[in-house]
Amino acid sequence: MGREFMSEKNSERKSDKCAKNMLNQYEAPISHAMKEYAGDGALAFHTPGHKQGLGAHGLLRELITEEGLRQEVSLMEELDDLHEPEGCIKAAEALAAELWGAEDTLFVINGTTGAIHAMLLGTLSPGDEVLIPRNAHRSIIGGVILAGAVPVYVQPEVDKRLGIAMGLSLSAVQRAIAAHPGAKALVAVYPTYYGYGCDLRAIAEAVHEAGMLLLVDEAHGAHLRFSDELPPQAIDLGADVAAQSTHKLLGSMTQTSMLHIGSHRVDRGRLRQAAGLLQSTSPNQLLLASLDIARLQMAEEGRERMAEAVRLSHLLRSQVNQISGLYSPGLESCRAGADSGAACLDYTKVTVNLDGLAVDGPEAELILRHQYKIQCELSDACNLLFIISMADNEAVVARLLAALKDLAAKHLQGEKQARKNECRGAMGDMPVPRQRISPREAFFADYKAIALAGAVGAVAAETVAFYPPGVPLLCPGEEITAEIVEYIRRYQALGMRLSGPADGRLETIRVIK
């Protein structure tokens, strides 16, 4: 009787806290609960083993403050349960849903990869067809494998000058819907890693009219809602579910993301159940608190900070375009209308094209890193990508511009055309393999490792991608062609880093027996 009474009282207390904090965007309920427990003075006979920092190694103490270690506990009464939230986590998720305009929001502590896996596992069933852009991140293929779904790939538009894939056009989506009317959902990438967005509103209308769900990988869009100069976020354009990387351009810790639910077309309980299957039952409270605090920060000063980031991005882009040999695309690289894969641009993603220089992307990245102590977000065959976030200021932009001016002055290529042609034909000409069996069948099939040079005609048993940006060249179940082998070797020669295969140099590749 006493235990039941205490349980009822604890539940009432958690509900009271939730109700109290739910509409107050200027509180951080998870952080408050952590401080409350750490300050209570309870003697710890529980995990984690460092016992609130008492047993922590000196190196760990250098990484995390004394107060952070005291609060690095989990599953205490005050701290709630990520999988069945009733108190501070429920309040924090409700605050996030309100701020981002979602019907419901789930906190995720294994990255947007985990959020995407939960999104697909929570909405798809084995055998369901799902429409996927070919430039999707490898995490989407992982979610397809988990759900047992059957991918139907849709070709995105390609910018031949930049050599990068953009978003999906409405006509491409309509053709895919007509060819596969029984598909359960479309997964859209919005915006792309390089910041380009399709006309997602028109695509949402087409998808919903066909009775399908719109699921969005919005890893690079958590900041969009806080500036009217940036493209609208996916939930505001009709997405049923959107996975956002809160850590990528906002202020939470790496590995933290949010899964926003935008409609009643999806089963919220099943989505939360899927997230529960994929996330730790002992979530790191520091990660959860960082999500809550990032939300608080955007509620307090998000619009002001994003306005400054956009201003700095415009400044950087305009100055880069005055440097001989460099080009930073802006709105002129977009094409208005529902049938454009690049209908809008997130200005905070500043792409610098190196067509006019005698260095390629990976070479330029290394030069900037080691000679100028500047690290870009990514390099590809002919571009560098720089992110301007709410943390930046004019001084750091000036330092980047000075480095780019010096780089260009030292590596101008004059009238040479060979590298320009190589760049223009790089990412945009990525070959599309034929799917022989589903990714899930391939994942569970017996495999063997053979030389890549002798693998033409075989069926891949693993994912092959260059990272970043993590777009698969080969997915499990797809046929290896001579064109794909040549493409892989060309990119390796440029110094691009492979991700996915067991053999990191890809001398051998796993194929289905």
Side-chain angles (χ1 to χ4, degrees):
M1 178 69 73
R3 186 172 298 174
E4 291 175 0
F5 174 77
M6 287 300 295
S7 178
E8 289 173 4
K9 283 295 185 183
N10 289 341
S11 180
E12 288 174 8
R13 181 159 51 180
K14 290 178 180 179
S15 296
D16 289 344
K17 286 181 181 178
C18 181
K20 178 182 176 182
N21 292 324
M22 189 171 294
L23 297 179
N24 189 348
Q25 289 289 345
Y26 302 103
E27 291 187 13
I30 295 178
S31 179
H32 176 80
M34 291 166 64
K35 288 181 178 180
E36 187 176 74
Y37 179 77
D40 190 49
L43 189 59
F45 289 96
H46 54 72
T47 58
H50 64 68
K51 294 290 183 76
Q52 297 180 277
L54 295 174
H57 190 280
L59 290 175
L60 185 60
R61 292 177 184 275
E62 291 179 12
L63 288 175
I64 305 176
T65 67
E66 292 290 335
E67 183 60 28
L69 286 168
R70 276 194 293 272
Q71 295 186 31
E72 205 277 293
V73 296
S74 63
L75 305 181
M76 303 304 119
E77 172 194 331
E78 291 91 340
L79 302 183
D80 208 0
D81 181 352
L82 177 62
H83 303 287
E84 295 182 21
E86 295 180 335
C88 62
I89 296 176
K90 182 176 181 178
E93 290 181 335
L95 286 164
E98 180 185 68
L99 190 64
W100 270 271
E103 293 195 1
D104 201 0
T105 292
L106 282 67
F107 281 7
V108 179
I109 47 84
N110 56 330
T112 305
T113 291
I116 287 171
H117 288 174
M119 177 172 70
L120 297 183
L121 188 62
T123 56
L124 302 176
S125 298
D128 281 348
E129 285 189 323
V130 55
L131 309 180
I132 296 175
R134 186 63 203 187
N135 61 329
H137 188 267
R138 58 179 294 195
S139 61
I140 293 176
I141 308 305
V144 166
I145 291 172
L146 288 171
V150 179
V152 175
Y153 294 108
V154 186
Q155 289 304 309
E157 285 195 350
V158 171
D159 186 304
K160 291 293 186 180
R161 176 177 183 180
L162 298 174
I164 60 176
M166 301 297 188
L168 296 175
S169 67
L170 177 61
S171 60
V173 171
Q174 289 172 329
R175 288 193 298 270
I177 290 173
H180 300 271
K184 180 68 176 293
L186 166 71
V187 179
V189 178
Y190 174 94
T192 68
Y193 206 155
Y194 294 86
Y196 288 94
C198 56
D199 189 337
L200 196 65
R201 188 184 301 279
I203 289 174
E205 291 173 358
V207 167
H208 291 151
E209 185 177 341
M212 301 177 187
L213 297 173
L214 177 59
L215 312 175
V216 181
D217 171 1
E218 200 177 15
H220 295 272
H223 62 301
L224 297 179
R225 187 168 170 83
F226 302 98
S227 172
D228 294 333
E229 291 191 66
L230 299 180
Q233 67 169 3
I235 288 293
D236 294 334
L237 295 174
D240 296 295
V241 190
Q244 291 183 347
S245 291
T246 317
H247 69 91
K248 278 187 166 64
L249 285 104
L250 301 185
S252 66
M253 294 173 68
T254 296
Q255 201 176 307
T256 58
S257 299
M258 295 186 193
L259 189 62
H260 298 300
I261 300 171
S263 79
H264 290 285
R265 296 184 186 91
V266 296
D267 184 337
R268 300 187 201 186
R270 186 179 168 196
L271 277 165
R272 192 170 287 278
Q273 184 180 34
L277 285 173
L278 298 167
Q279 299 203 84
S280 171
T281 54
S282 301
N284 188 300
Q285 207 70 25
L286 299 179
L287 297 179
L288 290 171
S290 79
L291 278 170
D292 194 23
I293 293 169
R295 185 272 315 154
L296 171 65
Q297 184 177 35
M298 297 313 288
E300 289 178 335
E301 53 185 6
R303 287 202 157 265
E304 293 81 2
R305 281 183 172 259
M306 287 312 305
E308 178 64 3
V310 171
R311 186 186 73 81
L312 291 173
S313 301
H314 289 322
L315 173 65
L316 175 59
R317 186 174 278 104
S318 65
Q319 292 295 310
V320 166
N321 284 327
Q322 296 179 32
I323 301 174
S324 181
L326 300 182
Y327 166 60
S328 182
L331 275 183
E332 79 286 348
S333 61
C334 298
R335 183 166 54 85
D339 211 33
S340 172
C344 55
L345 175 63
D346 171 8
Y347 298 118
T348 68
K349 296 295 190 71
V350 181
T351 300
V352 176
N353 181 264
L354 307 173
D355 257 11
L357 303 189
V359 291
D360 54 40
E363 288 175 319
E365 178 180 359
L366 289 174
I367 291 169
L368 287 174
R369 172 66 180 85
H370 296 290
Q371 293 185 23
Y372 300 93
K373 302 303 179 185
I374 286 174
Q375 180 60 58
C376 63
E377 169 66 14
L378 70 80
S379 64
D380 62 33
C382 50
N383 301 293
L384 299 172
L385 178 65
F386 301 92
I387 293 176
I388 301 299
S389 82
M390 60 176 188
D392 292 311
N393 55 42
E394 286 196 11
V396 299
V397 169
R399 181 176 165 188
L400 172 57
L401 278 168
L404 289 173
K405 287 178 183 177
D406 201 42
L407 174 76
K410 291 178 179 178
H411 297 280
L412 270 175
Q413 67 170 356
E415 298 302 316
K416 296 178 184 177
Q417 294 296 319
R419 190 173 301 278
K420 291 183 181 181
N421 294 333
E422 179 183 11
C423 285
R424 287 174 180 162
M427 181 64 81
D429 290 338
M430 186 171 72
V432 181
R434 180 166 69 96
Q435 185 175 300
R436 295 259 296 270
I437 60 176
S438 75
R440 186 177 177 87
E441 288 177 283
F443 181 83
F444 288 107
D446 289 337
Y447 64 85
K448 61 182 178 181
I450 63 174
L452 178 63
V456 173
V459 177
E462 58 186 349
T463 300
V464 177
F466 286 96
Y467 198 92
V471 175
L473 280 168
L474 275 172
C475 297
E478 293 182 336
E479 183 176 332
I480 302 168
T481 65
E483 187 182 16
I484 289 170
V485 172
E486 189 276 332
Y487 188 93
I488 289 171
R489 293 308 188 209
R490 176 152 49 104
Y491 255 61
Q492 284 182 304
L494 289 171
M496 302 293 286
R497 181 168 61 88
L498 276 165
S499 175
D503 178 358
R505 295 180 301 174
L506 210 60
E507 296 300 325
T508 62
I509 187 171
R510 290 179 175 180
V511 299
I512 304 300
K513 285 185 178 179

